[in-house]
């Protein structure tokens, strides 16, 4: 078992995604500002909390449905590819660092898969 494949890692990331879903649903001012800076259309923004909440459910399901958890990390990898691309498009290199970090994390988790899969 490694840190990347441990159920506790999936649970921690599920909690993070759930909190992020709530923050996006409000939206908190720093998140709204970032989305404005990245040029994310207003029509896309209501979908983001739903997608983040769904990812929290997928990650939390790791012990019963490891395949779903792996699919979720794959979809989060795609999400963060798009997030990094959005940052690069507007030359927002410093604020791209968290997106690059999550991209790397979820890509590695997808490659390894959860314990027991």
């Amino acid at each position: 078992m490694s840190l990347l494949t441990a159920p506790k890692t999936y649970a921690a990331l599920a909690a993070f995604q759930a909190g992020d879903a709530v923050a996006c649903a409000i939206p908190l001012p720093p998140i709204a500002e970032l989305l404005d800076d990245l040029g994310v259309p207003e029509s896309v923004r209501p979908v983001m909390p739903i997608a983040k909440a769904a990812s929290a459910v997928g990650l939390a399901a790791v012990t019963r449905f490891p395949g779903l958890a792996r699919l979720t990390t794959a979809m989060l990898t795609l999400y963060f590819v798009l997030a990094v691309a959005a940052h690069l498009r507007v030359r927002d290199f410093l604020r791209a660092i968290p997106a690059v970090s999550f991209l790397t994390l979820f890509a590695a988790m997808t490659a390894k898969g959860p314990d027991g899969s």
Side-chain angles (χ1 to χ4, degrees), residues 40-78:
V40 176
E42 291 288 335
S43 61
V44 172
R45 296 180 190 196
V47 176
M48 294 178 71
I50 297 166
K52 291 178 183 208
S55 71
V57 171
L59 291 170
V62 68
T63 53
R64 290 190 47 106
F65 304 104
L68 175 60
R70 193 170 198 173
L71 175 63
T72 301
T73 59
M75 292 298 98
L76 284 164
T77 300
L78 175 61

Side-chain angles (χ1 to χ4, degrees), residues 17-111:
Q17 285 296 106
D20 196 25
V22 171
C24 283
I26 292 174
L28 292 179
I31 292 173
E33 178 186 331
L34 177 62
L35 295 175
D36 288 341
D37 292 348
L38 294 178
V40 176
E42 291 288 335
S43 61
V44 172
R45 296 180 190 196
V47 176
M48 294 178 71
I50 297 166
K52 291 178 183 208
S55 71
V57 171
L59 291 170
V62 68
T63 53
R64 290 190 47 106
F65 304 104
L68 175 60
R70 193 170 198 173
L71 175 63
T72 301
T73 59
M75 292 298 98
L76 284 164
T77 300
L78 175 61
Y79 174 87
F80 283 106
V81 164
L82 297 172
V84 169
H87 283 280
L88 296 179
R89 182 177 52 81
V90 298
R91 306 182 67 75
D92 185 11
F93 303 117
L94 185 60
R95 292 191 299 181
I97 293 171
V100 169
S101 300
F102 278 116
L103 169 60
T104 305
L105 173 66
F106 287 119
M109 290 176 76
T110 301

